Structures are given as C-alpha cells and as structure tokens.
Amino acid sequence: MHDDASYYSFVPSAYVQEQTAAPSRHRRKTSLLAQSNENTQANESLIGETKAVEDPREEIKGPPEAVLSRRAQSYADFHYAVRAIFKPDPGLGDKQKEEKRAEEIEDSVDFDKWYESIEADLHDSSHLEYSVYKDQLKFTESYLDSLSSTTNATLEVLAHLSHSFREVEAQTTTFQKQCEELVSEQHRVTRLADDIGVNVQYYSYLEPITRRLNAPGAGNFVRGKEFSDMLARLDECLEYMGAHPSQREASTYKSRYRSLLTRGLTLIRVNFVGALRDISQDVSRRIADRQLNETTMSALLYAKFRVGASELKEIAQEIRKRSIISKGADVGSEAEYQSLMNELYTSYSTTRGKLVIPLVTKKMADIAQAPSTSSDLVAFARNSIGYIKGVCADEHELWREWFEGDDGVYDFLESVCEPLYDHLRPRIIHENELAKLCELCTLLQTRYMRDLDDEVETVDLNQLDFYALIQPALEDAQTRLVFRTQAILRDEIKNYKPKPEDLDHTSDNKQVILQGININAPVTSGRKESVNDLSARKDPNTVEASDFPSLLYGFEVETMFRGWFPTLRKAIWLLSRIYRLVNSAIFDDLAHEIVHQTTLSLHRASLLVANRTTLFDAQLFLLKHLLFLKQQIVAFDIEFVTPDVSFDFSGVTNTFYELRDRGGLFDPRNLWRIMGGNLLPRVMENMLDAKAELDGRLRTVINDFTSSAAGRMTHPINDSARGKKSFDATAALHKTQQLTVQEVSVLRHKLNEYLDDARTKETLVGAVQNQVILNYEGFYEWFAAGMRAAGAKVGKRGKGREDDVWDADTFESWAEEVFAVKGQGFVGTTGEDSRRDSGSGTGSRSISRDGSV
C-alpha cells in the first residue's frame, strides 16, 4: 500500500503561486459537484483573472521554483491544492506584462504574432476552468486508481496474512495438542515413577529391618521410639503385601515381614518379662532382709512396681494392638499374637501372685482364728470380704498402670481371692442354720452387688467390678440356702407328723385374733423390696416380726400366728426368708413346691381333725388356713408356672422284656420295631401351678362347706327323704324351717370360733343361704310337678296357710330374714384387686354368694 506522503511532490509551475492555503479545518467538505453558489462565484472570478494572465513562460530562463504542496486531508483540501498549482505567478503584474508585450510590437507582423498569442491565450483562458477541472479529474482518477490498486494490494496482503494466520493457528493448535499430550505423558510417567517408588519402598525395608533385628543386642532399643516406628513400618508392609497379592514377590516378602514382626514382638516379651523379674527379685530380697510393717510393705509392693510401669505399658501395647481379632474371623478363633499377650498377663500374674497371695493367705488365717469371727459365718464373711475387696482394688489399679484394658485382670484377681474361697466355702457348706445363710446372702447382695434393675447411671469401665469376683461366694451361699430350704420343706412340711396339740383347736386357740387386720387392704408386694439383714434365731420354728417385712402393717405378728398350723407357719417363714435372696426363677420353683406341699399337709391335717372332731370343724380348719395361705403368698409375687417333666419308660421296658423272653432281643427287625411306633420314652409334662392349685382346693373346700351346711338344714327335703312313701311335704317344710333356724346359730358360732373377719363370715353365711335356697327350689319344682301330675292346683305366690307348701320366692324371703346376712362379703381380695375395685366402684369377690371362688 502506497504511503500518503507520495502525494507530496515538486510541481513545475510557470507562475508564482499565490500562497492561499485552504482554511485548516477537520470537518469534511462537500464534493465539487455539490458545492454552493459561493464556491461557483469564486471559480468564475478565478476564470476572469486567468483570462488576463499572460503566459510568462518565455521569460523563465531556469527551472521553476519548487513549491511543496500541503497534503490533502480530504477531497476539499485536494481541490484547493489543485487550484494552488494552476494559479498565475504573482511575480509579474498584469500591467507590466502588457507593457512589456506592447513595447515588443514593432510592426504588423509582431502585432499579428502578439494577437495570435493573445488569441490563443484568450481561447485558453476561456477554457481554463474546464481544463483545470479536467486535469483535476484526471489527477483524481489516477489517484483513485492508485488508491484502488494499493487497496487491492493491501487486501491481497491481508488475505495472505489471514491465510497465514489460519495456518499458524492450525499449527499452533496442533502444537498445543502435542504439548498437552507430552505433558500428560510426562505426568503419567511421573506418577508411574512415583508409584514404582512407593511400591519399591515396601520391598526396600526388608534388608535394613532384618539387619536391625538380628544384630547383637537388638533387645536394647525395644523401649525406644525407633522400635515402635519400625513395627509400624512392618505393619504397613504386611498390609501392602496383603492388598497386592498379584505382585510377583508379594507372598515371599509377606512371610519374611511376618517373621520379622514376630521377632520384634518376641523381643518385647523378653524385655517385659526380664523387667518384671528384676523388680520382683528386688522386692523379694528387701522383704526377706528385714521385717516390714504394713505401710512399708504396701509402699514396697506397689510403689516399686509403679516405677517404669509406663514404659513397659507402652511396649506391651504394641503387642496388644496386634492381638485383636480381624473382621471376618471365625467365631471362637484367637488373634495371631494373643498368645504373646497372654504370656505377658501370665508373667505379671505369676510375679504379683508370688508376692501378694502369701500375704492374703496369712491374713485370711488370722481373720478365721479371731474370736469374733471364728464361729460366726456372717462376721467372718464381712471382715474377710472387706479385706479382699481392698486388695483387689489396689491390684486392679496397679494392673491398669501396666496394661491397657481389663483383659486377664479378673483371672489374676480370682487367684488372689482363692484364700477367701478356701475359708469361706467350707463354712458355707457346713452351715445348717437357715437364718445365717439368709443373712450372708443379704450381706453379699446389698453391700457388694449392683442392682441391675435400679441402676441408671452408666457403669464406669475403669472401676473394679467386684461383683464378678464375689459372685462365686454368693452362688455357694445361694446353693446351700436352696438345699437347706428343700431339706426343711421335706422334713418339716412334707413329712411333718402333726402332734395332738396341733389338732386340738379349743375355743381359746382356735380363734385367730386379727385385731386391726383388713384382709382386703393392699398388701405390699413386688420384687423391688429386699429383705435387709434378717436376724438369726436359735429356734427356726419361732416366728419373729423381722421375718415378715411385708406383714408389718397394723397388727402384731405373734398374735397373727396364734392358732396357725405348724406347716403353714413354716411355709410362710421359708418364703419370707428366701424371698429376693435367690434367683427369681429358682424362687418361683421353690415357692410353688412350698405352697403345694403346704396345701397337701393342711388337707391331711383336716382329715385328722375330722376324725377327732367333726367334718364341719375340719372344713372350717382347712378353709381358714387356705385363706391365710392365699393371702400371704400374694406378698411374694410368684410369677411363673413350673413344668414337672418326667420320662415314661414303661413301653420300652415292656418291649425289652418281651423280646428277651422270645429270644429276639438282637434281631435288627425288632430293633427297628423299637425305634418306630410308640415304644420310645415319652415325655410327661405336668404343669404345677401353686396359685391355681390353691384356688382350686379352696374352691372345693368352700363348696363342700356350703353344701354340707345347707345339706344339714335341708335334710328333711332332700332326695333321699322325698323317696320315702311316708314323706309329708308340709311336715318336711316345717322340719326344714326348724333345722335352718337352729343351724344358722350353730353356723355363726362356728364361724366366730375360727374366723374373726366380719366380711369373710358374712360371705360364707350368704353362700350357705344361697345353697339352701337352691335346695328348696329343687324341692319345690319336684313338689309342683307332682301336684300338676295329680291334677291338683298349685298354690299361688304368697304365704298362704301354715299347712301349705311355700313357693320358692316365699321361702327365699323367709330365708333372708333368718340368715340376716349383713352386706356383701369380700374374701381373699388382693391389694391390686382392691385398688382396681375402688377405682371402678364395684367389688370383686374371691368367694361369691353361691360359694364359688
């Protein structure tokens, strides 16, 4: 492209150019063809002036003066520039030119020449403006052609540059992609090198660690930080080999690393055991050298072992954290290095046991020989267990300074407690007094055991669980307690032989004076109550208030037990003794058996009372004791029904005898006969529910009592009397009325002798009344049926004549007046029933008016 400076040039001119520069402005002017009239007039004046100009070129004798034209900034400036070029030379005036030419004319020829020259000038002057415009157009055309060619060349250059730029861009993009590929390849190679370096490092640890562990004196740096770091690196190497089993040498290096880790942990065990041995020998030597008091002995036994315990705990932790069972291991499997950890536990327990157990044994012997504890089981247990608890607490605290966690500590503490068991277990086995055994169980449960039902706060795992250590002693005491309970149940309840005075219920000792007793009052029951510190008694048959904590509400115990049969008194005594002292399931089994055997003994006693007195007295005797038994067992909250399981071998035994007699005992076909069919032993399961059994027997006794009493009153109208030919209904009715009036007074007198609770007595009287009415209703239906069969007219409702037979409603009204039952009685209602009845507004009776429970 041509530079705009090419427009500047030296333009030859025959005239002195007039320095009339175009006005300097930056606003673009209009084109030549669109100029205003002012410009047109200026052009015309310019033409006029041009006409008067004479050609001065003949006078110019040298090159014209060069004039540097100003660069055209626009098309208007270009117009002014053109005009400046063709402007006449201002050096010579018009007059001078004319005078000069006139002076040169000498003749006509000169005139003609002058005129010709003037004529041509005139002609040229007349066409000067158009010539100038033509030249201007040519100049503009050439300039525009040059500009167009320059523009085309520039466009070609730009197109070439654009093409070049596109090629450069494509090449740059390709180069960028190649660079990126190279960079990614570099990163891949770098990562590969890093991975190779990481993988190689797990293989590079083998040689230095092997040299370190097999070097002489390798155990000297066991307690250093470098040793722990080395074990950690071995763990990392083993983990890596296990995670990359496909690598070529992984299995080989894994086995070698495993052997190195075992070697390192073995060095820890050797160092740990050696340190324990040195401490033990030092302490033993100091103890043997001189006699030490308890304070000095304690400082020597514990303070000496605390020195350096933290360092040994850290190295022992290296074995412990590698003796954890991995996930997915079989149930019951042991961790790989658990045996090494167990050796540390055993070494520590053996070392401490040699120092502590002899002292504990000596202390137990001193306590056993002390006057206050030599013959008293509970006093010995209290003193000895208190001492053992202190020793175990100190040993547990010292153990936590040597090891992390409680693994193995309770095995060691059990060995420390062995001297206690050696003295306590024989005493428990030889203890026959039930009260002492109960007091021992109470002591162990209340002082050393934790109540799992009442425990709210989380158990501190760092504290000693002395319950686990004393549990064997409690189990021994409970086992002996159950055994003695069963022995007393067998000897004094099941096999009890009543004495004559036990069956002699005179008016003085028959009446049970229950002053202030409300049988239906809520009875405190539930397993949350515990029997605390039951006092021992020399005579186990003596009933004391402390034996019955659930019965001490509003009455005297001695008065309450007056007139009770010995087996009933013994049963309640046993239940109150063992309640909450043995496992609930065991207590339920014992309670069921005690209630069952007591019920049977009361039934046998009632038969003896019937032989000595009357059946009516026997029934009241049994009824009274069963009611007392039902009321008292509520306090012990017997929950479970125990199955009595036995095996019936009768079918197998008979078959064997049959095969033996026939000689085919070893015949396979006969053996298959035994295996098939119903010849295998049968399981016989008899459900033994003490409460249900007691309720059933009580129901039977009440029904027998009401039936017997009502039968005596309605004897003249019963089935046997009606079967006689001489039966007179009217006379029988009169006789029944007389017997009813007599027997009601006898009934109330007997009830007053045996029972004192008014509601119980009124309920029984009401039951007898209902039974009498039922018996009479049966008689009246028989009588009315006979009258209708004979065609006679049955009397209407109403009392009628005295010689007539009353209808059932009339007799019922009369019976209510005779029996005079006061209110509705409630017998045997439990405390829970009383609360429920009081809330609902209706009463629930254990004995209904018809005599059912």
Side-chain angles (χ1 to χ4, degrees):
M1 181 179 179
H2 296 287
D3 195 347
D4 292 340
S6 63
Y7 180 75
Y8 295 96
S9 61
F10 292 101
V11 181
S13 178
Y15 310 99
V16 180
Q17 297 182 1
E18 183 180 357
Q19 301 296 329
T20 56
S24 177
R25 63 184 70 174
H26 294 284
R27 184 175 60 85
R28 184 178 182 89
K29 295 184 179 180
T30 58
S31 65
L32 207 86
L33 299 177
Q35 289 181 359
S36 62
N37 294 329
E38 295 177 357
N39 296 334
T40 304
Q41 294 176 0
N43 294 334
E44 291 178 353
S45 62
L46 180 61
I47 294 172
E49 292 177 357
T50 306
K51 290 180 180 181
V53 174
E54 296 180 357
D55 189 6
R57 287 176 290 183
E58 295 179 359
E59 300 297 331
I60 300 174
K61 297 181 181 180
E65 183 181 357
V67 178
L68 183 63
S69 300
R70 185 178 60 85
R71 179 186 178 188
Q73 299 295 329
S74 65
Y75 183 77
D77 295 340
F78 176 74
H79 170 70
Y80 287 115
V82 172
R83 289 183 60 184
I85 294 174
F86 293 98
K87 213 170 187 182
D89 189 0
L92 297 177
D94 292 339
K95 289 183 178 182
Q96 291 177 357
K97 289 180 181 180
E98 291 177 359
E99 289 178 356
K100 185 177 181 180
R101 287 187 179 183
E103 290 176 356
E104 292 178 354
I105 297 174
E106 294 178 355
D107 51 16
S108 58
V109 176
D110 293 334
F111 177 79
D112 290 335
K113 289 180 181 180
W114 175 77
Y115 180 78
E116 288 177 1
S117 62
I118 291 297
E119 184 180 9
D121 291 337
L122 289 174
H123 184 269
D124 291 336
S125 297
S126 62
H127 293 87
L128 179 62
E129 182 178 357
Y130 298 101
S131 298
V132 172
Y133 187 69
K134 179 181 178 181
D135 294 338
Q136 181 180 355
L137 291 176
K138 289 181 180 180
F139 183 81
T140 302
E141 181 181 7
S142 64
Y143 177 75
L144 292 176
D145 291 340
S146 175
L147 182 61
S148 176
S149 62
T150 305
T151 302
N152 292 333
T154 303
L155 290 176
E156 292 177 0
V157 172
L158 291 176
H160 179 71
L161 289 176
S162 177
H163 179 69
S164 300
F165 287 157
R166 285 194 294 270
E167 290 182 354
V168 171
E169 182 182 5
Q171 295 175 359
T172 304
T173 303
T174 304
F175 180 73
Q176 181 182 3
K177 291 181 180 178
Q178 294 175 354
C179 291
E180 290 177 353
E181 291 177 358
L182 291 176
V183 170
S184 61
E185 181 66 17
Q186 180 185 4
H187 291 168
R188 187 188 67 82
V189 173
T190 303
R191 287 195 301 270
L192 181 61
D194 294 340
D195 293 341
I196 293 175
V198 171
N199 295 334
V200 168
Q201 71 175 350
Y202 292 108
Y203 292 90
S204 62
Y205 291 142
L206 180 63
E207 294 301 328
I209 294 178
T210 302
R211 290 194 301 269
R212 189 75 175 272
L213 292 178
N214 294 330
N220 296 331
F221 72 102
V222 169
R223 302 187 190 184
K225 183 67 169 56
E226 297 81 2
F227 190 81
S228 299
D229 296 340
M230 182 184 65
L231 294 179
R233 283 195 296 270
L234 287 174
D235 292 335
E236 294 175 358
C237 293
L238 286 172
E239 184 179 357
Y240 175 82
M241 299 302 168
H244 301 83
S246 60
Q247 294 184 4
R248 186 173 181 179
E249 301 292 336
S251 58
T252 303
Y253 275 80
K254 182 179 180 180
S255 61
R256 297 186 65 180
Y257 280 134
R258 180 67 65 186
S259 62
L260 291 177
L261 182 60
T262 304
R263 168 68 175 166
L265 298 181
T266 304
L267 290 177
I268 291 178
R269 184 203 61 184
V270 173
N271 188 278
F272 189 92
V273 173
L276 267 177
R277 183 175 57 253
D278 295 341
I279 297 174
S280 176
Q281 291 176 356
D282 187 17
V283 173
S284 300
R285 184 175 61 256
R286 294 189 181 187
I287 293 176
D289 291 343
R290 55 187 181 276
Q291 296 293 333
L292 303 176
N293 55 24
E294 293 184 1
T295 303
T296 307
M297 183 72 71
S298 176
L300 189 60
L301 286 176
Y302 293 98
K304 187 67 175 177
F305 272 82
R306 287 188 172 93
V307 177
S310 59
E311 295 182 0
L312 294 174
K313 181 179 180 180
E314 291 180 1
I315 64 174
Q317 183 65 15
E318 296 292 339
I319 299 179
R320 184 177 184 273
K321 65 184 180 182
R322 292 171 177 82
S323 61
I324 299 175
I325 299 177
S326 60
K327 295 182 179 179
D330 297 335
V331 179
S333 60
E334 190 179 61
E336 184 175 1
Y337 296 106
Q338 185 62 44
S339 59
L340 289 176
M341 198 66 202
N342 292 337
E343 290 182 13
L344 298 187
Y345 294 153
T346 303
S347 177
Y348 178 87
S349 301
T350 303
T351 303
R352 289 295 300 176
K354 292 179 180 179
L355 298 174
V356 176
I357 293 179
L359 301 179
V360 175
T361 303
K362 182 177 180 300
K363 184 65 176 179
M364 289 295 104
D366 295 341
I367 296 175
Q369 295 175 1
S372 59
T373 58
S374 59
S375 59
D376 191 347
L377 172 64
V378 178
F380 173 78
R382 184 182 293 108
N383 294 338
S384 59
I385 294 176
Y387 171 76
I388 287 294
K389 184 178 180 180
V391 173
C392 290
D394 295 337
E395 291 298 325
H396 180 265
E397 182 180 356
L398 183 62
W399 179 283
R400 295 304 294 266
E401 295 185 13
W402 279 76
F403 300 103
E404 186 70 26
D406 291 339
D407 297 339
V409 64
Y410 288 98
D411 295 335
F412 165 62
L413 294 180
E414 286 178 1
S415 63
V416 175
C417 294
E418 283 298 329
L420 170 66
Y421 299 147
D422 294 341
H423 286 82
L424 186 60
R425 187 173 288 114
R427 288 172 176 258
I428 292 175
I429 294 175
H430 292 89
E431 182 62 52
N432 293 323
E433 191 173 349
L434 190 68
K436 289 291 184 181
L437 295 174
C438 293
E439 189 175 355
L440 177 60
C441 292
T442 303
L443 173 68
L444 296 177
Q445 287 181 342
T446 57
R447 182 170 297 183
Y448 303 110
M449 300 297 176
R450 62 174 183 268
D451 192 350
L452 298 179
D453 295 334
D454 296 337
E455 187 174 6
V456 178
E457 298 181 356
T458 305
V459 179
D460 188 3
L461 299 179
N462 296 325
Q463 297 295 327
L464 172 65
D465 186 11
F466 191 67
Y467 167 80
L469 299 175
I470 206 63
Q471 179 68 19
L474 177 61
E475 292 176 354
D476 292 340
Q478 290 176 337
T479 302
R480 181 62 179 173
L481 178 62
V482 172
F483 176 79
R484 288 301 305 156
T485 301
Q486 292 175 340
I488 294 174
L489 173 63
R490 181 187 65 250
D491 297 338
E492 302 186 28
I493 296 180
K494 182 178 180 179
N495 298 329
Y496 180 75
K497 303 298 181 182
K499 301 175 182 178
E501 57 269 19
D502 298 332
L503 304 175
D504 185 14
H505 287 265
T506 60
S507 58
D508 292 334
N509 55 15
K510 283 181 183 178
Q511 184 177 6
V512 181
I513 306 175
L514 300 176
Q515 299 177 355
I517 296 180
N518 185 1
I519 296 180
N520 295 308
V523 180
T524 303
S525 64
R527 298 183 181 274
K528 293 296 182 183
E529 294 183 3
S530 60
V531 182
N532 297 322
D533 297 332
L534 298 178
S535 59
R537 297 187 301 269
K538 294 182 179 180
D539 185 5
N541 293 326
T542 303
V543 180
E544 295 183 359
S546 60
D547 295 333
F548 303 92
S550 59
L551 303 178
L552 302 176
Y553 297 95
F555 57 89
E556 297 179 359
V557 176
E558 291 293 341
T559 303
M560 172 185 170
F561 289 119
R562 183 183 306 168
W564 282 25
F565 193 68
T567 57
L568 176 60
R569 183 167 62 247
K570 182 61 68 175
I572 302 302
W573 180 79
L574 281 177
L575 291 176
S576 64
R577 281 295 188 180
I578 66 174
Y579 183 59
R580 292 283 289 177
L581 296 182
V582 295
N583 183 269
S584 59
I586 298 176
F587 173 78
D588 291 331
D589 291 339
L590 289 175
H592 282 292
E593 184 65 20
I594 290 173
V595 172
H596 174 69
Q597 294 298 334
T598 303
T599 304
L600 294 180
S601 68
L602 292 176
H603 180 69
R604 291 193 297 268
S606 66
L607 297 179
L608 296 177
V609 172
N611 295 331
R612 292 173 59 90
T613 55
T614 62
L615 179 61
F616 195 67
D617 290 327
Q619 292 174 343
L620 284 176
F621 169 83
L622 183 58
L623 178 62
K624 177 190 70 172
H625 286 86
L626 291 179
L627 287 175
F628 287 155
L629 179 60
K630 179 177 176 60
Q631 174 194 1
Q632 298 306 318
I633 65 174
V634 174
F636 303 108
D637 195 15
I638 304 174
E639 295 180 351
F640 301 96
V641 177
T642 60
D644 184 13
V645 180
S646 60
F647 294 93
D648 183 10
F649 291 91
S650 59
V652 179
T653 305
N654 295 334
T655 302
F656 269 98
Y657 281 128
E658 181 182 356
L659 293 177
R660 189 188 63 179
D661 294 340
R662 293 181 181 180
L665 180 59
F666 299 100
D667 189 351
R669 290 173 297 177
N670 293 330
L671 295 178
W672 279 109
R673 177 190 171 192
I674 295 175
M675 298 301 297
N678 298 324
L679 299 180
L680 290 177
R682 293 178 297 173
V683 179
M684 306 298 293
E685 185 172 334
N686 301 319
M687 302 306 294
L688 179 62
D689 190 344
K691 288 185 177 180
E693 181 186 9
L694 179 59
D695 290 339
R697 192 170 293 276
L698 185 59
R699 184 184 301 107
T700 302
V701 172
I702 293 175
N703 291 334
D704 292 343
F705 172 75
T706 55
S707 299
S708 176
R712 287 193 300 272
M713 296 179 186
T714 59
H715 176 71
I717 57 175
N718 59 11
D719 294 339
S720 60
R722 294 197 300 266
K724 297 179 181 180
K725 295 181 179 180
S726 60
F727 178 74
D728 185 0
T730 304
L733 175 59
H734 289 260
K735 183 64 174 176
T736 299
Q737 292 175 344
Q738 294 175 2
L739 289 176
T740 299
V741 173
Q742 295 175 2
E743 290 295 331
V744 165
S745 60
V746 174
L747 173 63
R748 287 190 174 277
H749 177 70
K750 287 291 185 179
L751 290 176
N752 290 331
E753 289 182 353
Y754 283 91
L755 302 174
D756 187 68
D757 184 65
R759 291 192 298 176
T760 304
K761 292 185 291 184
E762 293 301 324
T763 301
L764 293 174
V765 172
V768 174
Q769 172 188 326
N770 291 337
Q771 188 63 38
V772 169
I773 294 173
L774 289 175
N775 293 344
Y776 186 81
E777 287 177 353
F779 160 73
Y780 186 75
E781 289 178 359
W782 172 84
F783 175 75
M787 293 292 290
R788 284 191 293 271
K793 185 178 181 181
V794 181
K796 297 181 179 180
R797 177 179 177 83
K799 196 172 257 193
R801 300 196 311 269
E802 293 182 359
D803 55 350
D804 289 341
V805 177
W806 293 349
D807 62 283
D809 293 337
T810 303
F811 184 83
E812 181 179 357
S813 300
W814 175 83
E816 290 177 353
E817 296 178 358
V818 173
F819 281 91
V821 179
K822 301 176 182 178
Q824 301 293 333
F826 302 92
V827 179
T829 306
T830 63
E832 182 180 355
D833 295 335
S834 299
R835 290 188 297 270
R836 183 176 64 251
D837 298 340
S838 63
S840 61
T842 58
S844 175
R845 292 177 296 164
S846 294
I847 301 179
S848 63
R849 291 293 301 271
D850 58 358
S852 62
V853 178

